[in-house]
Amino acid sequence: MRKPYLLAMALLGSLAVTEPTLAQSSYYFADHKAAFDPAIPTPEQFLGYPIGSHFTRYDRIVDYLKELDRLSDKVSLQPIGKTYEERPQVIAFFTSAPNQKNLETIRQQHLQLADPKASAPSYGALPVVVHLAYTVHGNESSSSEAALLTAYYLTASTSPDVARWLSEAVVTLDPAENPDGRDRATQWFNQHKSVPPVTDPLDREHNEGWPNGRFNHYLNDLNRDWLPLAHVESRNRMKFHQDWLPNVMIDFHEMGTSSTYYFEPSKPFSTENDLIPRATYDVLNVRLARYFARALDGIGSLYWTKEQFDNLSPIYGSTYPDFTGGVGVTFEVGSSRGLAQEGSNGVVTFPFTIRNHLRTGLAAVQGAVEEKELYLRHQRDFFASALTDAQKFPTKSYVFGAAADPNLTNRFADLLLRHNIRFYDLKQTTSAGGKTFEPGRAYVVPTAQPNYRLVHSIFEEVTTFHDSVFYDVTGWSLIHGYGLPYAKLKDAALATGEPIRTLKPVQGGLAGGPSPYAYLLNWSDYHSSKALTALQQAGVLTKVALKSFSINPPNRPGGSGAQSLPRESIQTDFQAGSIVIPVAGQKLTADSLVSLLSSVGQRTGVTFTGVSTGFNAKGIDLGSNNIRALRKPEVALLAGPGVNPSEAGEVWFLLSDQLNLPVSKLDPGNLNRVDWNRYNTVVLVGGQYNSLDKALVSKLKSWVENGGTLITTKTASEWAVRQGLTRENLLASARPDTSRSTERADFGRVAEREGTKAVAGSIYTADLDITHPIGFGLSDRRIFVFRNGTTLLKSGSSPYNTVAKYSPNSLVSGYVSKENLKKINNSAAIVVSPEGQGRVVLFADNPAFRSYWHGTSRLFLNAVLFGPLVNTPVGLPISEEEN
């Protein structure tokens, strides 16, 4: 923070040639009293440059950890998976040589702390588990460099204190939780660094280009993915976490250059979760904080505590451990965002930020060892108290599952398994909460289990808070995000038998055998969209029914190339949205079509039903004008400067992961080169589109009127309205009013007063028109919508254009001010506006929020797949052009 630290970095560089060990020690380990083992290379010796003078590629970080594993019996390196870009995810284990030989035994003994039925261990003999997690945000780069130095120190130090740490602790180190984002940022900083460093905050080095390195490959924020586990990195990480259940976990971050250093405790009560025992906040956090303060006091670094950052929900790496009997701690250091940058505290250098994280990380290990029994006892007491708290809670179990959507039901069940939550098969038909659940197609989750607090977080709403100013979302219950039917039960009698440990994949294929006429696919299963897209990519002619119908059950055996399903699995009732695949008119032969349908059905877990007649038992026949041909989506997504990276990434991931659909990501700066006729669907997510001039807007408008489907979300919907791309209108914004006010208020209350005006992330109900193509596949008009923005849409200009509308009393979970809730209630959530031969689909919110809000993401997929169907209401005659 002061200019001498810039000189320290230059000094590190000048020493690199002649005294590498001294270069590391003279700044980072100046007060280390014991020697280092000369057989262990410093990071500088291994890499060829001083730490802090260059940003280290992730593969070189892993290489160094491999070298420590090779050279020292105190280190072992374990792979835990791979990222989307094929980078390995690894965990390094640092502990004494005897402990290394008995890691599995130690792990099993440690996990007994989470079993209230197990006998209490000998706390003095059981190592404490400390997990150091670096760089979940890829451009918060100092922490991975600190990981290198921490690894060296724990391996090479001959200090008796360090020997004691390794004897009484297992220290696990994740050098970069987001390797793909880390390397994206590393490339930027190294590409733009200067010698000597440029400290001007406006220099290109300090201002990463879009989308920057914060996010993973799909531009999602992995720090918010601990509960949803939407991404492969998070699922790999969770497997490790549940295998070890750390007592102390440190989550390393960076913040603005003019900030100093933050560590917990956080703001008492107001940003803390009432489910968590007060000892976590009042004792465990405070005990560790003394070690952090001492470490930073020793090098003269300023810091702050008890403010700002949330501990509300288990979505973060620093809060999830609080829900598994440990204590999670956020570290935030004022960032140089490059080699050196000017800030209000002087020049902040990369070595300075690295050293802060190095010192506090080592202090965390020291504190955990010194207070070992406290943390071990707390974890055992935590899981025992979970059972006590569950007994007091009125809900004793939850039942969930959709008989018509087994794939989404299984997906949610798989999530529970990953969180080590106990649940059971439903054994009998059960009606509760106005819903009916069928055995074999639903599950029961008791609250009386060691992970009760996670169960509560996944299923329960929260509407009471100690504060009204929040750092991030205030509603996070996953059951609402999935949109699955569920109910709360007053007893746990249905939770019987053996708990589920593995899930059987949903069996799909072909029912009714090969057909000479047509095949049908119900649209109620979440994977139906995946199956449809696979057929379209294979060139299959597909149609969709705009009205429901029933068939007489076919009675044919399976044929060559068919995966025949039992007769009892054959569906006879098909809802609006069901897919019809005629045999006539296909480019494929009849046998090839059978083989493809069987393969796609098995792969996606959906069932195609063969029929031999178009004359249906009830409803429309298969030749009806209310069965329309579908087009294969050709999708373009605007992704570049001005566009919200996470929201663009969430759409990109949804289309890639769910549909396996290629999507063209168009940079707004290249739109003058675009041939719009290449695409039939264009998506604009939240962002600023002021760079799109009148000529581009005119081209986009013409493209829509000529048959294109424009889908907009959040602020892009506002932009589309203001640019005249749609005839629909906005309500008054829910944004905080920044106009002048004559009301006098105390300066010190500005955050308290103005923060309440923001729309924090919260959950609402809306009424969905399930007869509209956008609503196809759902049977319940009541849907859950996530909102963290201020876009407010008026109801559609036609009585048929408002696909979803917020309920009169819409808040379900989370915080929103009374003033903003009044604006949100009864406003439109989704509006479709026919424009010429095309249409604009306006979402007030982000339907693909954080890649787990499946209840509304399926509506977005309907907009992509069924967009052209919205221009003519069901039942009206269609023109020759439409036909």
Side-chain angles (χ1 to χ4, degrees):
M1 297 174 190
R2 300 184 294 277
K3 290 188 177 180
Y5 294 109
L6 181 58
L7 300 177
M9 185 194 65
L11 179 61
L12 282 176
S14 67
L15 290 174
V17 178
T18 56
E19 298 287 349
T21 302
L22 177 60
Q24 298 290 296
S25 301
S26 61
Y27 183 66
Y28 294 115
F29 305 121
D31 57 352
H32 187 72
K33 297 179 175 61
F36 291 99
D37 183 350
I40 305 300
T42 67
E44 181 179 343
Q45 288 173 316
F46 183 82
L47 298 168
Y49 53 84
I51 296 297
S53 66
H54 189 72
F55 288 75
T56 306
R57 292 197 324 261
Y58 179 72
D59 64 308
R60 298 299 288 148
I61 295 173
V62 174
D63 286 345
Y64 182 67
L65 295 175
K66 288 180 179 177
E67 182 70 356
L68 296 183
D69 183 5
R70 186 181 72 84
L71 293 172
S72 174
D73 58 3
K74 296 182 288 186
V75 185
S76 61
L77 191 66
Q78 296 183 12
I80 61 170
K82 285 187 176 182
T83 70
Y84 293 112
E85 296 179 14
E86 298 298 324
R87 291 181 176 86
Q89 289 179 265
V90 298
I91 301 292
F93 288 74
F94 299 86
T95 190
S96 67
N99 286 347
Q100 285 284 356
K101 293 178 180 178
N102 294 287
L103 270 183
E104 179 57 22
T105 299
I106 292 172
R107 187 182 75 83
Q108 294 289 351
Q109 291 173 342
H110 180 77
L111 290 181
Q112 290 182 17
L113 295 173
D115 183 1
K117 297 178 181 178
S119 301
S122 171
Y123 296 109
L126 186 64
V128 65
V129 179
V130 183
H131 184 55
L132 306 177
Y134 301 88
T135 316
V136 70
H137 294 145
N139 57 2
E140 298 178 3
S141 307
S142 60
S143 69
S144 286
E145 308 290 340
L148 288 167
L149 293 168
T150 301
Y152 168 71
Y153 185 88
L154 293 175
T155 307
S157 175
T158 60
S159 162
D161 288 338
V162 175
R164 181 191 168 206
W165 297 354
L166 298 183
S167 175
E168 299 192 30
V170 174
V171 181
T172 58
L173 183 151
D174 186 335
E177 295 179 284
N178 180 8
D180 295 346
R182 162 81 192 184
D183 272 0
R184 193 183 315 129
T186 294
Q187 173 68 12
W188 178 273
F189 292 131
N190 285 338
Q191 183 181 16
H192 294 96
K193 73 175 185 178
S194 302
V195 180
V198 177
T199 63
D200 180 356
L202 294 180
D203 183 70
R204 189 169 171 81
E205 177 187 6
H206 310 304
N207 296 274
E208 288 174 87
W210 195 96
N212 74 52
R214 178 182 178 90
F215 312 106
N216 78 338
H217 173 80
Y218 282 107
L219 309 185
N220 277 213
D221 188 334
L222 295 179
N223 192 42
R224 273 75 174 166
D225 198 34
W226 276 79
L227 196 63
L229 302 179
H231 290 278
V232 63
E233 299 96 335
S234 304
R235 294 192 289 271
N236 295 337
R237 191 174 60 203
M238 181 55 64
K239 174 66 167 61
F240 160 76
H241 184 92
Q242 291 294 342
D243 281 349
W244 278 93
L245 296 181
N247 299 104
V248 173
M249 177 171 160
I250 308 298
D251 199 27
F252 293 83
H253 291 267
E254 291 181 358
M255 53 186 170
T257 304
S258 291
S259 296
T260 57
Y261 198 96
Y262 170 81
F263 55 84
E264 297 182 23
S266 54
K267 189 176 180 181
F269 290 97
S270 61
T271 58
E272 297 167 347
N273 193 302
D274 290 338
L275 287 173
I276 302 302
R278 286 307 309 171
T280 300
Y281 305 124
D282 298 339
V283 180
L284 273 63
N285 259 313
V286 174
R287 288 283 183 91
L288 281 178
R290 295 170 184 169
Y291 292 88
F292 308 149
R294 193 180 309 148
L296 294 177
D297 287 343
I299 55 175
S301 290
L302 300 174
Y303 53 86
W304 52 281
T305 65
K306 302 179 289 294
E307 299 179 61
Q308 188 173 355
F309 295 103
D310 284 351
N311 260 327
L312 273 174
S313 80
I315 64 172
Y316 310 106
S318 61
T319 50
Y320 190 91
D322 295 344
F323 288 77
T324 56
V327 57
V329 179
T330 298
F331 283 170
E332 298 266 0
V333 66
S335 176
S336 59
R337 280 297 199 277
L339 292 182
Q341 186 177 170
E342 299 162 18
S344 61
N345 295 296
V347 173
V348 178
T349 70
F350 198 30
F352 178 70
T353 63
I354 294 167
R355 186 172 71 157
N356 280 334
H357 272 335
L358 168 66
R359 292 306 186 96
T360 53
L362 293 175
V365 178
Q366 180 188 12
V369 170
E370 296 292 341
E371 312 283 351
K372 182 178 79 165
E373 187 168 337
L374 172 69
Y375 291 96
L376 293 174
R377 285 186 179 275
H378 171 82
Q379 191 161 52
R380 178 173 169 78
D381 293 343
F382 175 90
F383 287 105
S385 68
L387 298 179
T388 303
D389 288 356
Q391 289 173 357
K392 300 174 184 176
F393 192 64
T395 297
K396 300 307 178 185
S397 61
Y398 305 92
V399 58
F400 74 90
D405 196 351
N407 278 296
L408 191 60
T409 301
N410 257 28
R411 190 166 181 165
F412 188 77
D414 177 72
L415 179 70
L416 298 182
L417 285 178
R418 293 180 187 276
H419 286 295
N420 200 25
I421 288 171
R422 192 172 74 244
F423 61 99
Y424 301 81
D425 274 318
L426 180 68
K427 304 293 194 308
Q428 62 190 58
T429 300
T430 300
S431 295
K435 304 175 184 69
T436 298
F437 302 90
E438 298 179 13
R441 300 192 178 191
Y443 299 100
V444 183
V445 185
T447 56
Q449 59 176 295
N451 271 321
Y452 156 71
R453 294 178 175 100
L454 281 176
V455 172
H456 188 288
S457 299
I458 289 170
F459 284 94
E460 284 295 327
E461 307 86 3
V462 181
T463 55
T464 303
F465 300 89
H466 295 283
D467 206 337
S468 57
V469 180
F470 303 95
Y471 181 68
D472 195 22
V473 303
T474 58
W476 52 82
S477 46
L478 298 182
I479 190 64
H480 297 103
Y482 274 66
L484 283 169
Y486 81 106
K488 302 176 183 182
L489 306 177
K490 295 296 184 182
D491 62 64
L494 295 175
T496 60
E498 289 296 314
I500 301 296
R501 291 183 173 84
T502 58
L503 293 170
K504 297 178 182 177
V506 178
Q507 184 181 11
L510 186 60
S515 167
Y517 192 81
Y519 299 91
L520 309 176
L521 172 65
N522 228 324
W523 197 247
S524 57
D525 192 285
Y526 191 57
H527 282 193
S528 295
S529 58
K530 190 187 296 282
L532 170 63
T533 308
L535 297 180
Q536 291 178 326
Q537 298 286 13
V540 174
L541 170 64
T542 57
K543 296 186 173 186
V544 62
L546 302 186
K547 287 189 172 184
S548 62
F549 59 89
S550 297
I551 65 170
N552 292 309
N555 186 20
R556 294 184 310 278
S560 174
Q563 173 66 38
S564 294
L565 298 177
R567 178 177 172 81
E568 57 268 21
S569 70
I570 295 176
Q571 295 177 324
T572 57
D573 296 323
F574 290 83
Q575 303 304 313
S578 294
I579 305 301
V580 178
I581 303 111
V583 174
Q586 299 289 353
K587 296 179 181 178
L588 281 70
T589 66
D591 286 345
S592 295
L593 182 60
V594 168
S595 180
L596 177 65
L597 292 174
S598 180
S599 173
V600 169
Q602 292 175 62
R603 191 168 69 247
T604 60
V606 303
T607 299
F608 295 95
T609 301
V611 292
S612 57
T613 176
F615 187 66
N616 288 328
K618 294 180 182 178
I620 60 174
D621 294 321
L622 297 189
S624 168
N625 279 341
N626 282 304
I627 294 181
R628 310 273 180 87
L630 292 170
R631 66 183 184 186
K632 183 176 75 171
E634 300 289 348
V635 182
L637 166 68
L638 266 63
V643 180
N644 184 295
S646 286
E647 292 176 24
E650 286 153 4
V651 169
W652 177 23
F653 180 69
L654 175 65
L655 296 177
S656 297
D657 182 66
Q658 178 62 22
L659 298 188
N660 196 27
L661 182 74
V663 52
S664 297
K665 301 177 291 299
L666 306 182
D667 191 295
N670 288 335
L671 294 186
N672 283 317
R673 301 167 50 196
V674 169
D675 177 7
W676 293 101
N677 293 324
R678 180 186 177 103
Y679 315 105
N680 52 40
T681 305
V682 172
V683 180
L684 276 67
V685 299
Q688 300 294 326
Y689 294 95
N690 298 333
S691 62
L692 274 61
D693 59 25
K694 290 183 179 179
L696 278 173
V697 172
S698 179
K699 288 181 180 179
L700 188 58
K701 186 176 179 64
S702 295
W703 172 84
V704 170
E705 292 174 346
N706 287 326
T709 300
L710 177 64
I711 304 173
T712 62
T713 68
K714 294 181 72 174
T715 55
S717 295
E718 297 182 33
W719 178 84
V721 170
R722 293 187 177 116
Q723 296 299 319
L725 293 169
T726 169
R727 71 193 75 180
E728 306 306 333
N729 287 301
L730 304 169
L731 289 172
S733 175
R735 289 188 183 88
D737 184 7
T738 56
S739 61
R740 291 175 60 87
S741 173
T742 57
E743 180 187 358
R744 185 169 180 260
D746 289 347
F747 181 80
R749 295 186 60 207
V750 62
E752 174 189 339
R753 286 168 53 89
E754 300 303 318
T756 61
K757 299 178 181 179
V759 179
S762 36
I763 302 170
Y764 303 81
T765 56
D767 177 74
L768 174 71
D769 178 1
I770 59 177
T771 71
H772 194 284
I774 303 298
F776 281 171
L778 296 179
S779 58
D780 191 343
R781 292 187 65 102
R782 183 174 182 259
I783 61 167
F784 297 105
V785 177
F786 188 89
R787 165 175 281 269
N788 65 343
T790 56
T791 301
L792 292 171
L793 297 174
K794 278 188 177 180
S795 291
S797 54
S798 160
Y800 311 107
N801 287 2
T802 305
V803 180
K805 185 175 183 178
Y806 279 103
S807 307
N809 298 294
S810 61
L811 181 64
V812 173
S813 183
Y815 173 82
V816 64
S817 69
K818 292 179 180 179
E819 294 79 5
N820 280 334
L821 181 58
K822 185 176 180 180
K823 296 176 183 178
I824 293 167
N825 288 339
N826 296 306
S827 68
I830 307 171
V831 176
V832 173
S833 178
E835 303 291 339
Q837 296 179 48
R839 73 288 311 158
V840 179
V841 183
L842 303 159
F843 287 84
D845 314 295
N846 174 12
F849 179 73
R850 290 184 181 166
S851 299
Y852 78 92
W853 212 262
H854 302 298
T856 49
S857 66
R858 68 194 306 161
L859 306 181
F860 180 91
L861 295 176
N862 284 349
V864 171
L865 296 167
F866 301 149
L869 303 175
V870 306
N871 287 45
T872 303
V874 176
L876 292 183
I878 56 178
S879 67
E880 287 188 20
E881 289 82 0
E882 291 177 291
N883 198 22

